[in-house]
Amino acid sequence: MTRSRMRAVAGACATLLSLGLTGAAQAAPQASGTEPVTTYEKGHVVECTAQLERYDTVYVSLYSNSVHGNHTQVVISSAESEYAGAAQPEKLFNHGAIRTVVPISPVDGRVESASSAVVHGRYALVGEPTPYSDEMYDAGYRIVTTGTHQDISTRLTIKAFGERAPPVSYTHLYVYKRQTMRYPASYISSLDGVGSPTDVYKRQATALVACDVAACRTQA
């Protein structure tokens, strides 16, 4: 299966988690009135591919977030068939250990006996955190995210259909700590005379990156 097709299947798999993501987003603090609202998040991201003897590609995505929870996806493909699944495990990255079981089923809707993929192994921090920042608009809000990314190393095994294999490549492999600030339009309007919104965001982002991570309440 081509990488674009694999991504498409992974996207379809992600829709299985949409209700959980929506609920988590609604539970997070929302900006109201004229004041911005700040949330603090930390988590892990692992995205990799592997090859089993009878299957061309195994795509695995593991994502944890202290606010939105844990989310996993697995897509297994060959020239004859494709399987996919998603889950929201209670535990995923736990003190250097990774373990999750993801139920999988045929993408074309065929009825088969229940099957699952198991991903397990170890991970460790590598190097030093690097600054990260992003700005975007969403539903009338200006959202500014600042924080750090830090690389991790892993030793993973992926098991499915009686076979097992380690990842052969990684797309994403890091831990993150971040502060997200949601600014309502009324707050942006109130910045007149203070400087452009972009200047204000940059000052806030610079202050966060420069501050002690523990003082910013983003300690892993």
Side-chain angles (χ1 to χ4, degrees), residues 66-181:
S66 58
V67 175
H68 302 300
N70 300 320
H71 303 276
T72 63
Q73 300 177 34
V74 173
V75 180
I76 301 176
S77 67
S78 68
E80 294 77 25
S81 59
E82 295 175 1
Y83 297 80
Q88 294 178 266
E90 181 178 352
K91 292 184 179 180
L92 183 56
F93 296 87
N94 187 25
H95 301 292
I98 298 174
R99 181 172 178 82
T100 186
V101 179
V102 182
I104 54 176
S105 58
V107 173
D108 60 12
R110 298 192 318 273
V111 178
E112 293 186 1
S113 58
S115 188
S116 60
V118 178
V119 183
H120 68 91
R122 306 287 300 179
Y123 69 95
L125 296 175
V126 176
E128 298 295 329
T130 57
Y132 164 82
S133 64
D134 185 43
E135 300 178 18
M136 63 178 291
Y137 285 102
D138 181 43
Y141 293 95
R142 182 70 170 181
I143 301 175
V144 181
T145 301
T146 52
T148 61
H149 284 179
Q150 183 172 359
D151 291 341
I152 58 177
S153 63
T154 66
R155 296 180 62 183
L156 294 179
T157 299
I158 301 165
K159 298 191 294 185
F161 302 120
E163 299 183 38
R164 65 176 63 197
V168 295
S169 65
Y170 288 90
T171 306
H172 298 293
L173 192 61
Y174 61 88
V175 299
Y176 63 89
K177 304 172 185 179
R178 65 193 181 204
Q179 172 181 284
T180 300
M181 296 169 281

